[in-house]
Amino acid sequence: MSDALKHECGIAQIRLLKPLEYYKEKYGTAFYGINKMYLMMEKQHNRGQDGAGFANIKLNTAPGDRYISRIRSNEAQPIQDIFEQINGRINDEIKANPEYADNVALQKKNIPYVGEVYLGHVRYGTFGKNSIESVHPFLRQNNWMHRNLIVAGNFNMTNVNQLFNNLVEIGQHPKEKADTVTVMEKIGHFLDSEVEKLYKKLKKQGFSKVAASPIIGEKLNVAKILRKSSKNWDGGYAMAGLLGHGDSFVLRDPAGIRPAYYYKDDEVVVVASERPVIQTAFNVDFDDVHELPPGHAIITKKSGEVNIKEILEPLERKACSFERIYFSRGSDAEIYKERKMLGRLLMPEVLKSINHDTINTVFSFIPNTAETSFYGMVEAAQDELNKQKNDAILAEKETLTDARLKEILAHRLRTEKIAIKDVKLRTFITEDSSRDDLVAHVYDVTYGVVKPEDSLVIIDDSIVRGTTLKKSIIKMMDRLNPKQIVVVSSAPQIRYPDCYGIDMARLEGLVAFRAALELLKDNNQYDIVEKVYEKCKLQVDLADEEVKNFVKEIYEPFTDEQISDKISELLCDTDVKANVKVIYQTVDNLHKACPKNLGDWYFTGNYPTFGGNRVVNRAFINFYEGNEGRAY
């Protein structure tokens, strides 16, 4: 992606189902869980580089022994920082106490992070908060073992204010409004309530507090707690949690917006945000890793019993399509095929733009995430070239000579690595003209492979703001003096903000929105903007389920092609000599390529939860009023 986006987070959860001695004997180390957690977090570093956190629970510890460990980092390389500290602590303990080296019981008792239950998190700070206090997992402490709660998630709630007020109404005093704290306190409230109810029942039966404690752990109904806690959540989420005595869970939102996958055998239960992460870390097949159904939780009791429970009634499945286009690792077998198909489906429009002249066209991509869709586009281009060769041979079959046949067959598709992304340039000088000059050189180009009569087709996975295209890529491509530059987006036009975990909070930052506004001005229809504002304002006090997305009316007067053409204009400075054309994927083709992930609200404005409509209208009100605040 040429535009830098803050986005997503990644979760990893491991529960070891055997005693630690088992892993020592089979794999040579009781640190098996730590090592696997490092792999799972490192393989998800694409999902978050602003911070990372790791938590561990030891099962069946004696009173007085530490059973919860947590470490977080917001250093430049947070995952490495965490595990360097963990490994350093382990090595220091073994060096100071050589008797620990081969004694698993002593390791578990005395060394932090050695245990059976693990939770990891990698984070992008979508709200710009990168302080250590904002890094997951979050910890809610209590002297009752069962009431300790550790939470981490890949999520964003659209109704944080409502959830916060609900906590206040039940007598709590949350320390901040952040959705992670709000969600944790909501779960914590019902966890406390459930523990209290169980204790009162056991007390009536004559159990002492000491005797009741392990029974409470056995009887705790995690599914019931999650049902009560999540009743009013509106958002996209994969929420992971650990309870102090050893129960664990991962809950997925009912529309399946955010991803979650799991694997289980007789040694481990594993959950992660991405399927290939589990495949790689545990060397298992594609079919062994399962998607957690929307609205369901995978719950592992302290006993090792594992259940998939429906927590919320599933809604229409609207799994995020942007996951498939860009965010998730392309090594997933399904995602790889889908990205290739996205490139292939763009080819008819590309061929129109170059008048089917594949001989005088160079095909390339914006590194690095667009590479897979580039392969699909090239395969389709090769099919076209083969058709051209076949037609030429059939047309000339009566007069075809050996030399002419060789000439026809010699035509090759011209694919080159044109754009080269340099190491991130530091903009030390804040004066605008200096910054713009540095930004313009984020990408470099390969010289000498493009002729003046050539069209240059370059594919990006998505065009969100268009800033890097305008300030860097198109200008650098123009230096090669092509006749035409065709910029292709494997994603449709991004017209609406996201409110489920990806940092697209402001409408005016989206180049498609700016293009629509310009078209309204060009066609003397800009009064629509004020009318939409008035409609949005009238909905401010309505319940979420009554709110409609009126921002769609900004785009309704225009075709997709008209908006794309206006975007082409907006992305070109007057000094660009080549003709520039922008081609976007259609929403229909997106659905063909990604049939299981139909969450397309970025492109259509069809939000999968009621809160989405409130967010988009709030974003429009902010735009109209010049308010730089966030819409969620």
Side-chain angles (χ1 to χ4, degrees):
M1 177 184 282
S2 54
D3 290 319
L5 283 179
K6 296 284 187 180
H7 59 84
E8 295 294 355
C9 291
I11 58 170
Q13 189 182 93
I14 297 175
R15 167 63 197 276
L16 303 181
L17 297 176
K18 303 281 190 183
L20 292 181
E21 286 79 5
Y22 172 91
Y23 304 94
K24 170 72 171 174
E25 182 177 346
K26 183 171 181 178
Y27 299 106
T29 177
F31 311 138
Y32 175 82
I34 297 173
N35 294 337
K36 291 299 185 184
M37 184 58 76
Y38 171 68
L39 273 176
M40 291 178 70
M41 291 176 66
E42 190 57 66
K43 292 296 181 182
Q44 293 186 101
H45 78 273
N46 55 297
R47 302 185 71 85
Q49 297 166 30
D50 287 337
F54 173 101
N56 159 250
I57 287 179
K58 304 171 188 280
L59 300 181
N60 302 313
T61 58
D65 288 347
R66 181 176 178 180
Y67 61 95
I68 295 178
S69 298
R70 179 184 63 153
I71 184 171
R72 300 180 294 175
S73 174
N74 60 349
E75 295 294 318
Q77 301 290 330
I79 300 171
Q80 290 88 335
D81 181 49
I82 281 172
F83 285 93
E84 282 175 7
Q85 291 188 58
I86 291 172
N87 290 332
R89 181 68 184 274
I90 291 171
N91 292 332
D92 288 346
E93 291 285 350
I94 292 176
K95 185 177 180 180
N97 304 277
E99 67 274 17
Y100 295 174
D102 292 308
N103 190 317
V104 175
L106 289 176
Q107 289 175 0
K108 178 178 173 179
K109 178 179 173 61
N110 296 292
I111 301 178
Y113 315 111
V114 181
E116 296 86 355
V117 194
Y118 296 93
L119 177 60
H121 188 268
V122 292
R123 175 180 186 272
Y124 269 116
T126 56
F127 283 78
K129 296 179 182 177
N130 295 325
S131 66
I132 195 68
E133 289 81 11
S134 300
V135 178
H136 301 202
F138 279 40
L139 173 61
R140 188 179 193 263
Q141 293 181 292
N142 194 287
N143 277 339
W144 282 62
M145 182 180 277
H146 333 82
R147 292 188 180 183
N148 283 283
L149 174 64
I150 304 171
V151 171
N154 168 23
F155 73 103
N156 200 75
M157 299 298 176
T158 69
N159 61 336
V160 176
N161 288 337
Q162 177 192 341
L163 296 176
F164 178 87
N165 291 336
N166 288 346
L167 290 174
V168 174
E169 287 166 7
I170 61 177
Q172 290 198 15
H173 191 93
K175 61 183 180 181
E176 55 180 297
K177 268 193 178 180
D179 50 6
T180 309
V181 172
T182 306
V183 164
M184 181 177 67
E185 292 300 335
K186 191 81 168 174
I187 299 171
H189 168 76
F190 288 107
L191 172 62
D192 289 346
S193 177
E194 186 71 9
V195 169
E196 190 66 30
K197 287 177 185 176
L198 286 170
Y199 171 65
K200 286 180 179 178
K201 286 182 181 179
L202 292 168
K203 184 180 179 182
K204 285 181 180 179
Q205 296 172 27
F207 288 90
S208 67
K209 289 182 178 179
V210 173
S213 187
I215 300 174
I216 290 172
E218 291 174 16
K219 291 184 175 293
L220 260 181
N221 188 334
V222 177
K224 180 180 178 183
I225 293 167
L226 292 176
R227 286 188 190 103
K228 290 183 175 180
S229 304
S230 61
K231 183 179 178 181
N232 296 318
W233 293 355
D234 187 293
Y237 49 87
M239 199 72 64
L242 312 179
L243 306 187
H245 66 287
D247 288 358
S248 61
F249 66 85
V250 176
L251 169 62
R252 191 179 183 198
D253 69 84
I257 295 170
R258 297 273 71 90
Y261 296 87
Y262 70 93
Y263 165 76
K264 179 187 179 299
D265 60 22
D266 62 344
E267 294 182 354
V268 293
V269 181
V270 187
V271 189
S273 293
E274 304 210 25
R275 185 195 333 252
V277 170
I278 299 174
Q279 287 183 254
T280 299
F282 291 89
N283 190 26
V284 295
D285 293 335
F286 178 93
D287 292 334
D288 295 327
V289 182
H290 306 285
E291 185 177 4
L292 183 63
H296 287 65
I298 179 169
I299 299 169
T300 307
K301 292 292 290 178
K302 178 190 172 185
S303 63
E305 178 187 354
V306 182
N307 289 290
I308 309 292
K309 296 275 191 180
E310 182 178 305
I311 305 301
L312 296 162
E313 183 179 353
L315 304 173
E316 181 182 359
R317 181 185 168 90
K318 291 292 183 180
C320 174
S321 56
F322 230 130
E323 285 276 353
R324 321 300 280 187
I325 296 167
Y326 170 63
F327 294 129
S328 293
R329 292 175 72 84
S331 55
D332 183 289
E334 284 186 344
I335 291 173
Y336 185 80
K337 290 177 184 176
E338 289 167 7
R339 289 182 181 175
K340 285 186 72 175
M341 182 57 71
L342 286 168
R344 175 175 279 278
L345 291 172
L346 283 159
M347 203 58 209
E349 287 302 312
V350 172
L351 288 171
K352 273 195 226 174
S353 72
I354 62 172
N355 295 318
H356 290 256
D357 184 4
T358 55
I359 294 173
N360 294 305
T361 300
V362 176
F363 295 90
S364 193
F365 61 94
I366 308 289
N368 292 318
T369 52
E371 186 171 1
T372 305
S373 55
F374 167 73
Y375 293 142
M377 184 177 71
V378 165
E379 285 180 2
Q382 188 62 57
D383 290 345
E384 168 66 17
L385 183 56
N386 289 341
K387 178 181 178 299
Q388 291 175 5
K389 290 179 182 181
N390 190 61
D391 291 346
I393 291 169
L394 290 175
E396 301 178 35
K397 63 181 179 181
E398 302 298 335
T399 59
L400 195 63
T401 64
D402 185 59
R404 175 59 181 150
L405 180 61
K406 287 180 179 177
E407 180 185 348
I408 293 171
L409 295 177
H411 292 157
R412 296 284 184 271
L413 205 64
R414 295 169 62 197
T415 60
E416 306 286 354
K417 186 167 184 178
I418 296 293
I420 302 161
K421 190 169 186 179
D422 284 328
V423 176
K424 188 175 182 181
L425 292 171
R426 296 283 302 278
T427 49
F428 293 105
I429 303 169
T430 57
E431 187 259 322
D432 284 347
S433 61
S434 300
R435 287 177 61 86
D436 286 349
D437 185 57
L438 287 170
V439 170
H441 293 84
V442 168
Y443 285 85
D444 205 346
V445 289
T446 302
Y447 294 95
V449 295
V450 177
K451 306 188 301 292
E453 63 269 27
D454 286 338
S455 291
L456 175 55
V457 175
I458 189 155
I459 189 168
D460 199 353
D461 47 42
S462 57
I463 303 169
V464 184
R465 303 182 186 101
T467 307
T468 308
L469 275 172
K470 180 182 178 75
K471 293 184 178 296
S472 178
I473 294 171
I474 290 175
K475 289 183 176 181
M476 296 301 288
M477 299 295 125
D478 195 51
R479 292 185 183 186
L480 302 176
N481 298 313
K483 175 182 69 178
Q484 178 181 215
I485 299 171
V486 182
V487 182
V488 186
S489 169
S490 70
Q493 296 166 5
I494 296 170
R495 299 180 171 190
Y496 304 93
D498 179 62
C499 51
Y500 304 118
I502 299 160
D503 198 17
M504 297 182 196
R506 296 172 54 126
L507 273 168
E508 59 268 39
L510 306 178
V511 68
F513 181 74
R514 299 200 305 273
L517 294 181
E518 290 301 315
L519 285 170
L520 289 172
K521 291 176 185 175
D522 294 345
N523 290 275
N524 295 317
Q525 294 177 282
Y526 202 77
D527 60 315
I528 289 175
V529 174
E530 184 173 356
K531 291 176 182 176
V532 170
Y533 170 72
E534 290 169 354
K535 290 179 179 179
C536 291
K537 287 288 284 186
L538 287 172
Q539 297 189 106
V540 167
D541 295 322
L542 295 182
D544 281 354
E545 57 269 24
E546 298 176 25
V547 176
K548 296 180 180 179
N549 178 1
F550 284 112
V551 181
K552 290 183 178 183
E553 295 181 11
I554 297 294
Y555 299 97
E556 283 175 359
F558 312 112
T559 66
D560 291 355
E561 188 172 4
Q562 285 175 307
I563 292 174
S564 292
D565 289 344
K566 179 56 71 173
I567 289 171
S568 302
E569 291 179 28
L570 294 179
L571 295 184
C572 287
D573 283 338
T574 54
D575 58 348
V576 173
K577 301 183 292 295
N579 178 52
V580 175
K581 182 171 180 60
V582 177
I583 295 174
Y584 280 91
Q585 189 71 264
T586 66
V587 173
D588 286 345
N589 279 343
L590 171 67
H591 292 168
K592 287 178 186 176
C594 308
K596 296 180 184 177
N597 286 53
L598 300 177
D600 59 9
W601 57 91
Y602 313 89
F603 320 114
T604 65
N606 298 328
Y607 288 89
T609 74
F610 293 126
N613 289 336
R614 179 173 297 285
V615 167
V616 69
N617 286 347
R618 179 74 255 175
F620 190 85
I621 292 169
N622 286 348
F623 150 73
Y624 189 90
E625 295 179 351
N627 179 359
E628 295 187 359
R630 297 179 63 88
Y632 58 89

